[in-house]
């Protein structure tokens, strides 16, 4: 039903007035009672996660004003460039979100982060985070950030009704990509036009990394980042072939959708599957769906026994205008209370090892078990595996393939990106 124009004009005017009243406070370097926090959790279920963390921070620090410097765009697709230009022009936020691993190393090597080793010592933090995670945030013996969570990136989110309607058992995960392609075809034949929901470039890169893990195995995939696996390995070619076949089952408008819009296609019953990190759990929770009832998850076919890892970590910028308040923020993040409130809302699991699995809903319990037992590999799309420059080159090659489906050109693009990064 169309709304009369006068109503629309009224709503716009009201919106402008409200926006004027609630203008976001800005960071004032002379006001010590502020902290400016930079993330890309600007809206939807991600903002709900950030709000939960801010809730604990406000309780613990009632006199400090939280300045939200978020920049919208999943996986930091816009935020990282915005942050780079702030850092370049000597206007750092007090603390910013960065992925543990190679991406964080970029900032450390650029001299943009303060050493937090003494903060770790004073708060006994080396004992509360897993060693494998501490390694990914350490350079030359110094620790440079505080992890807020651990996300898993090799998860298929499945709409059980859509699968049952096509005669597929939603609880039975296909063994590998080939078996999955059989089910995708079954869905298409049953009239589901786009069985696999997909989104913009970084979500394509994440799907591709899942296929690489499936086809190369955990060791072969990890070798891509150390030089032990060559990018012209036959397994990479197989993965490109599989990835191209998977694209045939996706929504044609994927290039324009962020992850939440792609996940929404599954929620709307117009797709059976979405391969997404477990921030999607938060979207299913907020839709009121019950695990193993309206939706279920399994490891992406061919990656069972592997945990594709990433972690959001918070830094202390060199030249942070509100250093003491930023340390208070990091204290909240490192606390058991902060991690619990945040991760319950975010879909991830706490980075702290003193987590009580029973406190978390069903999906997160599967992630806690998998992280404890499975082989952990580093996510490409989320900064753990490769530097920002290298993953940017890979992302462009994959985005181009989404448009031209030229397998040879994708392979040569990947090889060239690796040559450039690894020298
Ligand atoms: C990841 C980030 C997650 C989530 C996701 C989608 O890179 O680590 O916390 O926000 O992007 O935006």
């Amino acid at each position: 039903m169309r709304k009369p124009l006068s109503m629309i004009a009224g709503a716009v005017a009201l919106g402008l007035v409200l926006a004027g009243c609630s203008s976001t406070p800005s960071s004032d370097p002379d006001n010590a009672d502020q902290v400016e926090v930079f993330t890309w959790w600007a809206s939807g279920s991600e903002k709900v996660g950030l709000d939960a963390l801010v809730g604990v921070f406000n309780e613990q620090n009632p006199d400090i004003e939280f300045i939200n410097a978020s920049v919208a765009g999943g996986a930091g697709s816009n935020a990282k460039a915005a942050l780079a230009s702030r850092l370049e022009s000597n206007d750092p936020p007090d603390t910013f979100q960065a992925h543990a691993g190679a991406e964080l190393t970029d900032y450390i090597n650029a001299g943009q982060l303060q050493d937090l080793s003494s903060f770790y010592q004073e708060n006994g933090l080396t004992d509360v985070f897993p060693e494998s995670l501490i390694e990914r945030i350490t350079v030359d013996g110094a620790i440079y950030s505080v992890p807020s969570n651990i996300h898993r990136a090799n998860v298929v989110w499945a709409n059980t009704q859509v699968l049952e309607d096509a005669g597929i058992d939603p609880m039975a995960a296909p063994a590998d990509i080939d078996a999955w392609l059989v089910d995708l075809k079954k869905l298409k034949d049953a009239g589901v036009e786009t069985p696999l929901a997909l989104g913009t470039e970084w979500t394509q890169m994440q799907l591709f990394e899942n296929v690489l893990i499936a086809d190369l195995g955990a060791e072969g995939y990890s070798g891509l980042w150390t030089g032990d696996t060559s990018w012209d390995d036959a397994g990479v070619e197989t993965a490109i072939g599989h990835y191209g076949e998977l694209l045939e089952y996706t929504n044609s408008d994927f290039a324009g959708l962020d992850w939440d819009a792609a996940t929404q296609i599954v929620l709307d019953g117009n797709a059976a599957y979405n391969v997404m990190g477990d921030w999607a759990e938060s979207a299913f929770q907020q839709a009121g769906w019950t695990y193993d009832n309206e939706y279920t998850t399994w490891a992406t076919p061919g990656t069972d026994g592997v945990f594709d890892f990433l972690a959001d970590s918070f830094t202390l910028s060199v030249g942070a205008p509100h250093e003491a308040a930023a340390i208070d923020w990091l204290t909240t993040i490192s606390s058991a209370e902060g991690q619990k409130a945040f991760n319950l809302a975010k879909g991830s699991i706490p980075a702290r090892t003193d987590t009580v699995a029973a406190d978390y809903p069903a999906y997160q319990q599967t992630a806690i078990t998998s992280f404890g037992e499975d082989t952990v590999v580093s996510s490409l799309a989320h900064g753990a595996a490769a530097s920002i420059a290298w993953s940017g080159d890979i992302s462009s090659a994959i985005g181009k393939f989404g448009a031209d489906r030229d397998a040879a050109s994708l392979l040569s693009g990947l090889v060239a990106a690796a040559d450039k990064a690894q020298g």
Side-chain angles (χ1 to χ4, degrees), residues 327-397:
I327 288 179
D328 291 333
W329 171 252
L330 297 178
T331 305
T332 296
I333 287 178
S334 67
S335 70
E337 196 191 348
Q339 296 236 332
K340 187 170 172 192
F342 175 62
N343 285 291
L344 278 172
K346 188 70 166 51
S348 38
I349 60 175
R352 290 179 63 109
T353 47
D354 52 5
T355 304
V356 181
D359 290 349
Y360 288 81
Y363 165 75
Q364 278 142 301
Q365 292 193 17
T366 73
I368 290 169
T369 306
S370 167
F371 186 68
E373 292 174 357
D374 290 348
T375 307
V376 175
V377 300
S378 296
S379 168
L380 162 65
H382 305 284
S387 67
I388 295 178
W390 189 5
S391 66
D393 287 344
I394 296 175
S395 181
S396 306

Side-chain angles (χ1 to χ4, degrees), residues 200-224:
T200 189
E201 200 168 283
W202 69 264
T203 75
Q204 297 156 37
M205 176 153 72
Q206 187 180 316
L207 176 59
F208 183 64
E209 97 187 37
N210 273 259
V211 180
L212 281 174
I213 299 167
D215 286 337
L216 290 166
E219 205 186 321
Y221 168 82
S222 298
L224 291 171

Side-chain angles (χ1 to χ4, degrees), residues 40-41 46 74-75 97 99 151 202 259 279 310 312 346 382:
W40 53 84
W41 299 328
E46 296 183 316
Q97 171 190 6
H99 289 122
H151 269 305
W202 69 264
W259 76 266
W279 42 93
L310 64 125
D312 296 302
K346 188 70 166 51
H382 305 284

Side-chain angles (χ1 to χ4, degrees), residues 181-196:
L181 285 162
V182 171
D183 284 350
L184 284 158
K185 175 154 190 326
K186 229 184 245 176
L187 283 154
K188 197 148 196 173
D189 291 346
V192 181
E193 223 173 282
T194 59
L196 176 60

